[in-house]
Amino acid sequence: MRGGSFRVGRPVAVPVSAMSGRGKLIAVLGDEDTVTGFLLGGVGELDKHRKPNFLVVEKETSLAEIEETFRGNRGSVGADTPPPPPPPRPGRSFLNREDIGIILISQCLAELIRHAVEAHARPLPAVLEIPSKERPYDPSKDSVLRRARGLFTPDDLR
């Protein structure tokens, strides 16, 4: 820069609330590296019940815990016709939290609870599948892309 100087200051975190009038959060379900990356980016928060908006899934994490964190329904993993969900525990289920606007879930985890991901039909919170370190992103498995393809005809995309 001519005639001026460039000063590096403190990094500024832009909260999600600055991007929307309602102050919705981003929730993350994924492996340690994925979640850590988003936490370093400023996504981590605790709600009024001291529940985090992220879940680090490790080898010991059960499918029931993943599904309960996602939708608050324990015990229906793999069932063809899941029982009606019990009342969610406050702050535990990302789908039932009023303060969450987007749920980012690693695609490999979404595959494990596919029935729960596809059962979610409300616009908020939006559920977005993301790649993980171990597995590349596969668009053919993404429920959002499959729904979007159904909205358009091939002629609309030309």
Side-chain angles (χ1 to χ4, degrees):
M1 294 186 329
R2 192 196 289 196
S5 64
F6 181 73
R7 214 169 93 201
V8 178
R10 272 189 344 193
V12 178
V14 179
V16 175
S17 60
M19 292 182 262
S20 73
R22 296 184 194 165
K24 300 284 186 183
L25 300 174
I26 297 173
V28 183
L29 285 100
D31 59 80
E32 184 177 17
D33 291 338
T34 301
V35 174
T36 300
F38 281 101
L39 292 177
L40 289 171
V43 169
E45 294 281 339
L46 297 175
D47 69 0
K48 62 184 176 185
H49 302 287
R50 307 286 300 159
K51 298 290 183 183
N53 63 330
F54 57 89
L55 176 68
V56 176
V57 177
E58 299 171 318
K59 292 177 186 174
E60 310 82 48
T61 308
S62 69
L63 282 176
E65 184 179 354
I66 296 168
E67 185 174 358
E68 181 183 356
T69 302
F70 180 74
R71 77 174 185 176
N73 188 6
R74 191 183 268 279
S76 66
V77 175
D80 291 336
T81 54
R89 295 191 333 214
R92 183 66 175 158
S93 167
F94 291 165
L95 287 181
N96 294 319
R97 281 181 51 175
E98 294 290 323
D99 61 338
I100 291 180
I102 299 172
I103 299 172
L104 301 176
I105 182 170
S106 294
Q107 193 172 48
C108 56
L109 294 178
E111 280 299 306
L112 296 175
I113 59 167
R114 179 61 61 198
H115 60 281
V117 173
E118 291 191 356
H120 175 62
R122 295 177 307 178
L124 287 177
V127 178
L128 302 175
E129 297 177 26
I130 60 174
S132 65
K133 186 176 176 182
E134 291 82 29
R135 295 192 185 158
Y137 175 75
D138 183 358
S140 67
K141 294 180 179 179
D142 192 326
S143 60
V144 173
L145 282 178
R146 278 192 268 146
R147 287 180 192 174
R149 283 188 193 123
L151 296 175
F152 301 102
T153 64
D155 294 333
D156 293 335
L157 302 175
R158 290 185 191 163

